[in-house]
Amino acid sequence: MQYLLNVIHDSAEFATEEEQAAIVVFNQRMKADGYWVFAGGLGVTDNATVVDNRGDEPLVTDGPFVETKEYVVGFWIIEAPDLDVALRLATEGSKACHRKVEVRPFL
Amino acid sequence: MNANEAVARAHREEWARVVATLARRFGDLDVAEEAAAEAFATAVERWPADGVPPNPGAWLTTTAYRKAIDRIRREDKRGDRQREAQMSYEAPPEPVGAVEDERLRLVFVCCHPALAADARVALTLRMVGGLTAAEIARAFLVQESAMARRITRAKTKIKAARIPYRVPDAEDLPARVVGVLTVLFLVFNEGYLATGPDADPVRQDLTAEAIRLARLLRALLPQNGEVAGLLALMLLTEARRAARVSPGGELVALDEQDRTAWDAELVAEGHRLVRERLDSGQAPGRYQLLAAINAVHTSARDFRDTDWSQVVALYDQLVRLDRSPVVTLNRSVALAELDGPAVALASVDRLAGQLDGYHAYHAARAELLRRLDRGRESRAAYDRAIELAGNTAERAALIRRRNGSG
């Protein structure tokens, strides 16, 4: 079963060197243990663009789909047997990157 | 025993086992719950006519199993292939650990930390306790439809997020047991001191259910000190129930309770558990300390006879484990009996910033001020306590104490 681990952040500051180093270590361990599927960091929501083509004309708007103080700054996609394993990895991941992590199961 | 009594008894004793066995077999709480409910409904119909089966638990499990298969077949006809996959899924045999009772897995699923606290309570009462959504809704004064939604939502999350149906690893077990105990303590406390303005002041159905679940947990985890501690705490509290509310509907404080009205059997059982934990030589946790404090209270022939130095010493240990200002407040109340109201008041007043919105803080201050002959301040504190108190019997007692304070 796959889970999305969203990394939640509330400022435009990048990860510190220490945080980056911890993330690298955590990523390597996830790969070694077979949980790793994919991961990525995301730019600030200022650079987001929303496209809505549900109507007659595609509508393009600047900014995120919803303005919030906290936003998704990166993510992991993992393969885990159940939520307990996903929560354990999220706990380690949160520690490594020093940010909150939201766990969401894929359908 | 007639057939109806046999069904009621089987419901008390077998419900959780039937749900747990089916949940394990089908990997689906929803299927398990519905099939169990159908099996009991069938028993209500059949047992009076056919007689009570020699092994009611096995009869119920087999009947529920057939009901579950029927339901899955019906849903398969509608093209739900996923269910079929689940049906053929057999969990690999696990190493036989210390605990293999299916009901324990069920308890841990229902109290999983990924579920909202109120959902854990509701799900535990439904799946393990066998209460209906309507009964749980009444107990917590919410609409039945809202309670049913809460339970459904929790079941959906368990399935969609794949909350595992198993006893946690040894590493996670202590923390997860604490989570389970929190749920049981919440149920008990809501019964012990109901919060709603329209609720009965003491909800015996809830305290009894919490004790029943704690006994079950104790049977499943006999070595766990905190499980024993919580059960002892509940028993020693429940033992005083008859003395806690006056015929006029007022809450009766410990110093005014008729101790002959206490339930001696429950007291004895609670004391046995506390002694067992003392004999274990292991450092006590929060519930064991609370149980020990209650054991001291229930050992005293009257209020003045209480070993207050022992009570305060136990609170000192508790404060080291639990920094909550409420614990410090309770310690201060005991301190008043040991070192006098002035010392206690100084200690209580230090909590003003944290506990200003808590009725028991103002009630404790009011009582100490009264004993220090500071009548005007005492009455003002009683007024604040009465304003904030949610429990009807507690309010009545506070009003009487205020009016009686010179």
Side-chain angles (χ1 to χ4, degrees):
Chain A
M1 168 131 180
Q2 291 192 340
Y3 295 88
L4 170 66
L5 310 189
N6 273 326
V7 178
I8 314 295
H9 194 39
D10 60 2
S11 84
E13 279 171 33
F14 289 111
T16 64
E17 269 181 39
E18 265 177 30
E19 286 162 0
Q20 278 174 10
I23 292 166
V24 168
V25 171
F26 175 63
N27 287 348
Q28 282 167 347
R29 203 168 58 239
M30 286 229 289
K31 283 175 187 166
D33 294 343
Y35 298 124
W36 174 277
V37 177
F38 188 66
L42 297 171
V44 290
T45 53
D46 289 357
N47 299 334
T49 311
V50 173
V51 178
D52 183 355
N53 195 19
R54 292 172 301 174
D56 297 336
E57 296 275 321
L59 193 64
V60 177
T61 15
D62 172 45
F65 75 98
V66 57
E67 293 280 357
T68 50
K69 189 166 175 299
E70 294 181 306
Y71 66 101
V72 176
V73 73
F75 62 89
W76 285 281
I77 295 171
I78 59 161
E79 178 72 46
D82 59 48
L83 186 67
D84 279 358
V85 177
L87 291 179
R88 185 167 55 73
L89 293 169
T91 306
E92 289 172 26
S94 171
K95 185 96 177 172
C97 69
H98 199 244
R99 280 154 179 71
K100 287 202 284 191
V101 173
E102 178 195 47
V103 179
R104 292 185 59 182
F106 277 69
L107 279 176
Chain B
M1 186 165 47
N2 68 32
N4 288 333
E5 285 165 359
V7 173
R9 180 170 173 182
H11 193 263
R12 270 197 312 279
E13 291 175 0
E14 303 292 346
W15 167 271
R17 210 189 310 264
V18 175
V19 173
T21 305
L22 266 72
R24 177 101 169 111
R25 176 64 185 79
F26 295 102
D28 188 319
L29 268 187
D30 210 21
V31 168
E33 177 201 356
E34 255 189 41
E38 279 184 57
F40 278 93
T42 309
V44 169
E45 272 173 39
R46 296 259 300 273
W47 291 7
D50 301 355
V52 179
N55 184 342
W59 187 96
L60 287 160
T61 305
T62 308
T63 307
Y65 182 81
R66 289 202 192 108
K67 300 280 180 196
I69 297 276
D70 286 349
R71 172 174 162 184
I72 290 164
R73 290 218 176 103
R74 276 198 309 277
E75 288 185 5
D76 271 350
K77 282 195 189 125
R78 295 204 298 267
D80 189 344
R81 310 318 294 179
Q82 201 190 346
R83 282 227 187 271
E84 199 167 43
Q86 270 173 352
M87 232 180 104
S88 56
Y89 167 78
E90 282 282 0
E94 290 180 21
V96 177
V99 188
E100 278 300 302
D101 193 297
E102 298 290 349
R103 291 172 297 180
L104 198 56
R105 298 173 206 272
L106 189 63
V107 170
F108 280 110
V109 168
C110 293
C111 297
H112 197 278
L115 301 171
D118 55 4
R120 289 180 221 167
V121 170
L123 207 58
T124 303
L125 288 174
R126 174 70 191 127
M127 298 297 169
V128 189
L131 274 64
T132 63
E135 286 168 333
I136 304 165
R138 265 203 306 283
F140 289 94
L141 305 171
V142 303
Q143 293 280 325
E144 183 183 339
S145 55
M147 185 53 76
R149 269 199 305 280
R150 192 181 290 176
I151 293 170
T152 302
R153 192 173 167 272
K155 284 191 295 193
T156 307
K157 180 167 183 183
I158 287 170
K159 200 164 157 181
R162 200 181 285 182
I163 290 179
Y165 194 65
R166 66 154 178 261
V167 173
D169 305 335
E171 189 189 339
D172 296 336
L173 192 64
R176 292 286 304 278
V177 170
V178 170
V180 173
L181 296 179
T182 304
V183 167
L184 299 190
F185 199 35
L186 269 173
V187 174
F188 184 83
N189 277 339
E190 187 53 32
Y192 167 71
L193 200 63
T195 45
D198 301 321
D200 287 337
V202 179
R203 302 289 314 280
Q204 200 208 336
D205 49 345
L206 287 180
T207 56
E209 187 58 31
I211 288 174
R212 200 169 70 88
L213 293 173
R215 282 190 199 283
L216 172 63
L217 202 61
R218 158 91 180 147
L220 299 173
L221 296 168
Q223 304 301 321
N224 188 294
E226 280 296 82
V227 172
L230 180 62
L231 176 58
L233 172 61
M234 288 180 181
L235 293 170
L236 294 173
T237 310
E238 180 74 0
R240 304 197 295 260
R241 182 164 51 80
R244 272 186 72 238
V245 182
S246 73
E250 275 178 25
L251 208 64
V252 183
L254 192 58
D255 56 337
E256 294 177 332
Q257 285 180 13
D258 171 11
R259 295 185 176 218
T260 61
W262 291 356
D263 186 322
E265 239 173 79
L266 291 182
V267 169
E269 191 185 351
H271 284 186
R272 270 199 303 281
L273 285 165
V274 170
R275 261 198 308 278
E276 178 192 310
R277 291 317 304 161
L278 287 174
D279 292 345
S280 79
Q282 292 167 13
R286 181 167 167 256
Y287 293 117
Q288 289 163 81
L289 288 170
L290 285 169
I293 290 166
N294 278 274
V296 175
H297 283 306
T298 44
S299 300
R301 260 170 307 143
D302 62 49
F303 189 72
R304 281 177 313 243
D305 194 36
T306 308
D307 184 351
W308 291 106
S309 63
Q310 176 83 300
V311 172
V312 172
L314 287 164
Y315 269 120
D316 286 340
Q317 280 195 63
L318 188 56
V319 167
R320 281 197 287 276
L321 288 185
D322 184 348
R323 298 241 156 244
S324 141
V326 174
V327 173
T328 306
L329 177 69
N330 292 334
R331 180 189 175 275
S332 307
V333 172
L335 195 62
E337 307 304 324
L338 191 66
D339 292 345
V343 175
L345 183 63
S347 165
V348 168
D349 279 343
R350 280 195 290 275
L351 304 168
Q354 292 160 283
L355 292 182
D356 189 52
Y358 182 47
H359 73 277
Y361 161 76
H362 295 285
R365 280 197 80 233
E367 181 61 21
L368 295 169
L369 288 163
R370 185 188 63 76
R371 285 165 67 174
L372 292 165
D373 291 326
R374 289 159 65 176
R376 199 175 48 80
E377 290 164 276
S378 170
R379 278 190 299 279
Y382 271 124
D383 285 339
R384 277 288 280 154
I386 291 160
E387 196 183 312
L388 293 166
N391 183 276
T392 46
E394 200 174 17
R395 273 175 70 102
L398 287 168
I399 289 167
R400 182 175 59 83
R401 286 209 175 204
R402 179 194 59 190
N403 295 343
S405 70

